Amino acid sequence: MDKVKIKDKTFKTFIPESEILKRVEVVANKINTDFAGRNPLLLAVLNGSFIFAADLMRYLTIPCEISFVKLASYEGTSSTGKIKTMIGLNNDIAGRPVIIVEDIVDTGNTMKMMLNQLGTHNPESIHICSLLVKPGKLQVPLNIEYAAMEIPNDFIVGYGLDYDQQGRNLRDIYVLDEE
Ligand code: IMP
Ligand code: MG
């Protein structure tokens, strides 16, 4: 088993690149079927989804477009602390089918916020495509139509996902090694 050390933590191989790519292709094929002739706009959430978005889009065979948004945190004025908001949406999404491309859905709060914000721009429809979902941690009801893989509640890195900004360059997905 392959282990890597990132800063103070050790991670071990969890999902090899070959398996990830198979799952990404399956999800892409579903999108090919569901969005044929509809020219969907993929809206990838930086930074974590950049590698997934690149692979996903290259498995798409239908006309489609891509754009990137980022999440910015700012201090709330109330006791709620950090509040996240979506920035960088410079496309007119009115009347278009939008597919949010995310690296991982954990509590689902980020996705919920994005759905609310995007909804105000009157898209034809909004869909969620996530590389990974931790069903055990979901706190809000979400319809995740396109999930490449479901995983337990462990912390993972690689294939775009980071631990304290590092590890995004790992080709495989690694999980925190508890021992
Ligand atoms: P949520 O709002 O709790 O769903 O948080 C989702 C965000 O938290 C993701 O977009 C990731 O940036 C980050 N995140 C959640 N779990 C992990 C993990 O296991 N590894 C790396 N980042 C994670
Ligand atoms: Mg993310």
Side-chain angles (χ1 to χ4, degrees):
M1 170 130 335
D2 240 19
K3 297 206 179 188
V4 291
K5 192 153 196 302
I6 303 174
K7 298 194 172 178
D8 58 323
K9 298 206 181 336
T10 305
F11 294 84
K12 59 185 180 190
T13 317
F14 181 44
I15 311 169
E17 183 183 26
S18 57
E19 178 67 22
I20 300 169
L21 292 176
K22 273 188 219 156
R23 303 298 193 96
V24 173
E25 187 176 11
V26 169
V27 157
N29 284 337
K30 273 192 209 148
I31 294 175
N32 282 330
T33 304
D34 294 354
F35 291 87
R38 295 172 66 192
N39 186 23
L41 174 69
L42 307 183
L43 207 56
V45 186
L46 293 172
N47 295 327
S49 75
F50 77 114
I51 292 177
F52 172 46
D55 283 339
L56 178 77
M57 195 180 194
R58 288 180 297 175
Y59 281 122
L60 294 182
T61 53
I62 54 169
C64 58
E65 298 172 23
I66 192 165
S67 191
F68 296 86
V69 291
K70 236 182 138 87
L71 300 176
S73 303
Y74 59 92
E75 300 291 336
T77 48
S78 68
S79 57
T80 52
K82 281 241 172 8
I83 298 173
K84 274 196 205 164
T85 187
M86 184 186 69
I87 58 169
L89 181 71
N90 49 20
N91 301 66
D92 184 8
I93 63 167
R96 300 198 58 183
V98 172
I99 305 174
I100 302 172
V101 178
E102 181 54 301
D103 53 355
I104 186 164
V105 176
D106 193 60
T107 63
N109 288 314
T110 306
M111 230 1 75
K112 189 94 209 152
M113 177 278 295
M114 283 196 65
L115 290 175
N116 289 341
Q117 259 184 272
L118 287 171
T120 64
H121 295 266
N122 302 313
E124 177 202 291
S125 52
I126 313 175
H127 311 265
I128 301 173
C129 178
S130 187
L131 174 71
L132 299 158
V133 179
K134 294 179 182 171
K137 292 196 65 183
L138 212 53
Q139 289 177 3
V140 289
L142 275 184
N143 176 20
I144 306 169
E145 290 166 84
Y146 307 98
M149 295 171 279
E150 294 195 344
I151 58 168
N153 292 346
D154 310 307
F155 190 81
I156 54 113
V157 292
Y159 194 74
L161 288 106
D162 71 301
Y163 165 54
D164 203 10
Q165 294 308 324
Q166 293 192 12
R168 297 191 196 274
N169 50 324
L170 296 166
R171 304 189 77 101
D172 306 313
I173 289 176
Y174 289 73
V175 66
L176 191 61
D177 191 10
E178 304 286 9
E179 70 234 341

